[in-house]
Amino acid sequence: LSLDQDEKVHWKRIISCIRHKHNGKLIKIKTKSGREITATPYHSFVIRKDNKIIPVKGSELKVGDRIPVVKYIPANCVEAIDISDYVSENYVVDKNKDEIAPKINGKSIPNNIKLDYDFGYFIGIYLAEGSLTKYFVSISNVDENVLSKIRAFADKLGLNYGEYDNNNGFAESHDIRVYSSTLAEFLSNFGTSSNNKKIADFVFGANKEFVRGLLRGYFDKNGYVDFLKKGVMALSNSKELIDGIALLLARFNIFSIKSKMKGQFALTIPHRYAKIFYEEINFSVEKKRDELKRLISNLNENKTYDSIDMIPSIGDALTKLGEKVGYPKVILKKFERKQKIGRATLQRHLKRIEALAPDVLALKEYWLLKKAVESDVVWDEIVEIEEISYDKKYVYDISVEGLETFTTFEGVLTHNTMRTFHYAGVAEINVTLGLPRMIEIVDARK
């Protein structure tokens, strides 16, 4: 996933993946939304300057600079998978029936399984509160709406299940055990305990309905509406799971903030994205759904300040646009002075300018700012840069066609270091990396 000058992300072909030696410190960068990225000091990043995307070495970054984090991930859809690709050799496929079962005893299930909403929901609820044994998958929940979805999924696969009331000493609970060793082994790809739960790789390319179901299942149990923070929250013992959920939310153009809370990893969907969450994901649990609806009804979208989703380095484009269409200069000048403006604020001013001057579509400043408003990234502020020791021998780099940018698992878009690069449309930028570049070439040839 790569960022272009149009500030949109696109799927790009990987040209090479290179491993090379590194001696010395690395830099660890933390952003306001809770993202992190670690790189060599001479690794290049991208920033926004005068409405253009330009490269900069990591050693030149400073606190307060803003780097891109993916806000929207376009579809790259996988419609179905073969369960046999995700279990051990202890399971065998009956090709005539396209079913898979244990070699010794055990009920079969479909091998080629469609990635639909129901399957996604079951995985989501497992990620939130499921556990495994060798022979069954257990889900704990007391909401009848959720329980009925689990039963329907088991029936769909023709699997037996049992239900049990239990009291773990804290609260009354209800367990459903779905009996299938094949299903249990498949779900181990999503982790087996609260500390190591994660999103299996194929999910990131799965079709949207499957992802929608997974997210709803997860938030039905682990999500809640926080009226104090004015957003939707979820907690987990697994950082990798929270990172994965954040990326999946980006499939729906929902940006989230990551933090730590009471020893757990927290994910917050800010107020600005609560309405999108309501329309695209929502809750099955009636109480939570009503609380989310109440949160949205109490929000004034024109007065909600967002300190994270700010568009930096707008140059004089906004004031020049205002001058050309007769928009009050005093309103826009402060944004030129600060060199940042909230996405929603900029969008509001552009709508007013469109109404004031219908011929604004012919002006280049309008399109520069429109591009920023409709970008697929959030320009996330750097809040900390620290040098850290690195006790391993190698570092890695990815070369991608086009503008040479690629996305990390944290959602941070960074730049390839291994190649001399030139940005299309920015003729004055042609970056080489001196001695580190020469050393890397030699190491790569080895």
Side-chain angles (χ1 to χ4, degrees):
L1 199 62
S2 182
L3 178 67
D4 277 353
Q5 281 292 357
D6 60 2
E7 299 195 36
K8 298 289 187 182
V9 293
H10 308 272
W11 293 102
K12 294 291 185 72
R13 188 172 62 92
I14 295 174
I15 297 169
S16 58
C17 182
I18 303 161
R19 181 183 76 171
H20 57 100
K21 293 179 181 179
H22 174 72
N23 295 317
K25 302 271 188 179
L26 299 182
I27 56 170
K28 185 176 184 179
I29 297 170
K30 296 181 181 179
T31 70
K32 198 166 188 175
S33 76
R35 270 74 176 176
E36 297 180 356
I37 183 169
T38 303
T40 60
Y42 50 83
H43 182 90
S44 52
F45 292 78
V46 290
I47 60 172
R48 197 175 190 278
K49 187 173 182 181
D50 295 328
N51 294 300
K52 296 174 183 175
I53 298 170
I54 68 167
V56 59
K57 282 196 294 185
S59 58
E60 296 173 3
L61 288 172
K62 59 186 183 300
V63 171
D65 287 343
R66 291 176 179 265
I67 56 176
V69 172
V70 66
K71 178 174 74 77
Y72 172 65
I73 297 178
N76 186 31
C77 293
V78 178
E79 297 294 335
I81 59 168
D82 286 341
I83 297 294
S84 57
D85 292 337
Y86 299 91
V87 296
S88 70
E89 65 278 1
N90 294 324
Y91 297 83
V92 62
V93 176
D94 182 336
K95 293 183 179 180
N96 293 326
K97 296 181 180 179
D98 192 31
E99 293 179 340
I100 185 169
K103 287 182 177 178
I104 304 173
N105 297 328
K107 196 165 186 177
S108 63
I109 63 172
N111 180 45
N112 184 266
I113 190 164
K114 185 180 178 182
L115 298 181
D116 58 13
Y117 176 91
D118 295 337
F119 191 23
Y121 188 90
F122 184 80
I123 290 175
I125 204 74
Y126 167 75
L127 286 168
E129 58 182 348
S131 60
L132 299 176
T133 71
K134 188 176 179 180
Y135 302 106
F136 62 81
V137 181
S138 182
I139 308 288
S140 296
N141 202 290
V142 294
D143 188 272
E144 183 55 36
N145 207 341
V146 174
L147 295 173
S148 66
K149 292 178 185 293
I150 298 169
R151 296 183 193 109
F153 177 74
D155 290 337
K156 191 174 180 179
L157 294 186
L159 296 174
N160 298 323
Y161 56 88
E163 303 193 39
Y164 310 89
D165 291 322
N166 67 61
N167 187 335
N168 59 14
F170 298 98
E172 294 292 333
S173 183
H174 186 81
D175 292 356
I176 294 186
R177 294 179 182 176
V178 181
Y179 297 103
S180 169
S181 61
T182 312
L183 182 62
E185 177 150 337
F186 169 77
L187 286 176
S188 68
N189 290 279
F190 292 84
T192 56
S193 73
S194 63
N195 293 324
N196 66 20
K197 292 281 182 70
K198 60 183 180 179
I199 303 295
D201 290 345
F202 73 85
V203 175
F204 297 107
N207 80 74
K208 208 167 184 180
E209 282 306 303
F210 174 86
V211 177
R212 192 192 313 276
L214 186 152
L215 289 172
R216 179 176 279 201
Y218 182 77
F219 279 93
D220 270 353
K221 173 59 181 178
N222 275 7
Y224 62 95
V225 176
D226 190 318
F227 287 95
L228 185 63
K229 293 183 181 292
K230 296 181 180 178
V232 178
M233 293 199 67
L235 297 171
S236 175
N237 291 331
S238 170
K239 181 181 184 301
E240 189 173 359
L241 178 56
I242 289 295
D243 290 343
I245 294 293
L247 278 180
L248 292 182
L249 285 168
R251 289 286 300 275
F252 299 88
N253 213 351
I254 297 172
F255 187 74
S256 54
I257 298 168
K258 295 187 277 190
S259 60
K260 291 198 76 172
M261 184 183 296
K262 298 179 181 178
Q264 289 187 296
F265 299 96
L267 186 78
T268 304
I269 299 170
H271 52 259
R272 192 166 301 288
Y273 297 93
K275 187 176 181 181
I276 305 176
F277 182 85
Y278 180 84
E279 294 168 349
E280 295 283 4
I281 311 298
N282 216 326
F283 297 102
S284 300
V285 180
E286 186 176 1
K287 181 183 177 183
K288 294 182 179 183
R289 189 169 59 244
D290 290 344
E291 287 176 342
L292 180 57
K293 192 173 183 179
R294 182 155 57 93
L295 173 70
I296 293 168
S297 66
N298 291 336
L299 292 175
N300 184 339
E301 292 185 6
N302 292 327
K303 294 184 179 179
T304 49
Y305 178 72
D306 189 340
S307 64
I308 289 179
D309 195 2
M310 306 287 288
I311 297 168
S313 195
I314 58 173
D316 61 359
L318 187 56
T319 48
K320 275 189 174 180
L321 179 63
E323 288 170 1
K324 289 181 179 180
V325 301
Y327 198 75
K329 187 176 181 179
V330 66
I331 296 176
L332 305 180
K333 197 66 180 175
K334 66 178 179 180
F335 300 117
E336 181 182 346
R337 188 171 61 252
K338 292 180 179 179
Q339 280 301 299
K340 64 180 181 179
I341 183 171
R343 186 191 300 265
T345 302
L346 178 55
Q347 189 171 37
R348 192 161 61 246
H349 284 298
L350 288 181
K351 284 182 178 179
R352 290 172 181 171
I353 289 172
E354 288 166 3
L356 178 68
D359 59 346
V360 72
L361 300 182
L363 301 176
K364 69 174 184 178
E365 291 87 358
Y366 171 80
W367 289 108
L368 279 175
L369 298 167
K370 187 77 169 174
K371 176 182 70 171
V373 162
E374 296 178 351
S375 70
D376 289 340
V377 298
V378 167
W379 293 95
D380 205 355
E381 184 179 357
I382 296 173
V383 295
E384 184 180 327
I385 302 175
E386 64 172 323
E387 280 193 343
I388 62 171
S389 299
Y390 188 61
D391 57 0
K392 298 176 183 177
K393 192 174 182 180
Y394 295 103
V395 293
Y396 299 81
D397 214 340
I398 294 172
S399 179
V400 182
E401 64 185 2
L403 294 191
E404 296 281 358
T405 55
F406 62 92
T407 309
T408 69
F409 189 65
E410 287 264 0
V412 178
L413 281 137
T414 186
H415 197 281
N416 172 53
T417 304
M418 291 297 291
R419 292 159 58 91
T420 301
F421 53 87
H422 180 269
Y423 267 39
V426 191
E428 69 273 16
I429 298 169
N430 194 351
V431 181
T432 54
L433 297 168
L435 183 58
R437 165 72 175 144
M438 293 301 296
I439 292 169
E440 289 171 354
I441 288 172
V442 173
D443 284 348
R445 284 178 178 173
K446 281 183 182 179

